[in-house]
Amino acid sequence: MGKLFGTDGIRGIVGEDLTHDLAMKIGEAAAYVLGGKKDLVVLIGRDTRISGQMLSSALSAGFMSQGAKVIDLGVVPTPAVSYLVKKYKATIGAMISASHNPSEYNGIKLFNNEGFKLPDKTENEIEKYLLGKAVPTTNVVGTYEVCDTAVEDYVNHKVDTAGKINKDLKIVVDCAYGSASATAPLLFNQLGLDATFMNFEYDGFNINDNAGSTHLEGLIKMVKKEKADVGIAYDGDA
């Protein structure tokens, strides 16, 4: 493992450890290392942090500087990026999230064309370009588009693979003001479950704030109040 990449990509406080400049360099270096001479298609998803759009724009610019076609998935869970990379036949997937951390943090995690986390060897190769080695320039400019089917395609996949569902259960779902806010209500309603949702009205700053898997007190209280059978808590990137 290198100096920048941890177990879940590159994370840190935005503007200090993780800057827009670093995000652009990550896109540029990843495109060069993973793309070779192929036509690059890159999917980018993010959680609800206020810094997500800025980092997504910078990351996109880096990818496009190497001729990549960038497809913006918007707010989606991390597993959605992993799944959609393969479904959409993309070359690279990127998720912008710091999971359970407070909103001032963010991170960038990369996936290969099979939807798996990059091996350490590949991350180390990318890191060489982030720590000083220059990425060869190209005169090919990439493109950018927004995908409006990502949430629907991911939720449909989860429904299709859910198996037998006990629809008699009453559940409470804590979305942590994060990525689950975009998918959990659709998923559980589509499954026909009696579900109460909490902490889904995000504002970019409240992700994981006294909510979700790291703060279970509110969920416990709501489960008792609703006389529910089950409580489910997500973290920031679901």
Side-chain angles (χ1 to χ4, degrees):
M1 196 173 294
K3 297 178 181 178
L4 296 176
F5 282 95
T7 54
D8 274 310
I10 296 175
R11 285 186 184 177
I13 296 176
V14 177
E16 296 180 16
D17 313 300
L18 183 57
T19 63
H20 67 281
D21 183 57
L22 178 57
M24 187 164 64
K25 288 179 179 177
I26 291 170
E28 184 182 35
Y32 179 72
V33 170
L34 292 168
K37 295 182 179 180
K38 302 191 297 288
D39 292 331
L40 281 173
V41 178
V42 181
L43 305 186
I44 300 179
R46 64 182 187 276
D47 68 19
T48 58
R49 290 163 214 272
I50 192 68
S51 59
Q53 287 179 309
M54 177 193 75
L55 293 173
S56 178
S57 297
L59 189 63
S60 297
F63 279 123
M64 287 187 288
S65 74
Q66 290 291 309
K69 174 183 179 181
V70 173
I71 300 176
D72 185 348
L73 303 178
V75 174
V76 292
T78 293
V81 178
S82 178
Y83 166 70
L84 294 172
V85 162
K86 198 166 183 180
K87 179 176 176 62
Y88 293 166
K89 295 180 172 59
T91 320
I92 304 170
M95 179 65 186
I96 300 171
S97 174
S99 188
H100 60 280
N101 289 297
S103 63
E104 61 266 29
Y105 288 81
N106 218 327
I108 297 172
K109 183 174 184 176
L110 300 175
F111 299 90
N112 65 16
N113 63 347
E114 292 293 317
F116 292 109
K117 179 182 177 292
L118 298 184
D120 291 346
K121 182 180 178 181
T122 305
E123 290 183 341
N124 290 340
E125 182 66 22
I126 292 171
E127 200 163 279
K128 289 178 185 177
Y129 293 100
L130 302 180
L131 296 174
K133 190 175 179 181
V135 175
T137 57
T138 175
N139 59 0
V140 180
V141 178
T143 60
Y144 173 90
E145 65 182 60
V146 174
C147 176
D148 58 7
T149 61
V151 169
E152 180 183 359
D153 286 341
Y154 175 64
V155 168
N156 287 342
H157 165 66
K158 301 308 289 182
V159 171
D160 290 342
T161 57
K164 187 177 180 181
I165 298 293
N166 182 356
K167 295 186 179 181
D168 294 328
L169 289 177
K170 184 179 177 68
I171 65 174
V172 177
V173 182
D174 184 344
C175 297
Y177 301 116
S179 292
S181 304
T183 54
L186 288 173
L187 173 61
F188 289 106
N189 288 334
Q190 221 166 294
L191 290 171
L193 290 164
D194 181 6
T196 298
F197 301 95
M198 57 187 293
N199 301 331
F200 57 86
E201 296 179 326
Y202 60 86
D203 60 12
F205 298 96
N206 58 2
I207 187 169
N208 302 312
D209 186 11
N210 291 314
S213 60
T214 54
H215 301 278
L216 296 174
E217 300 82 6
L219 177 62
I220 292 169
K221 185 176 179 181
M222 184 65 77
V223 166
K224 292 178 178 178
K225 177 183 176 183
E226 295 292 325
K227 295 182 171 57
D229 300 294
V230 179
I232 298 172
Y234 286 97
D235 66 359
D237 66 336

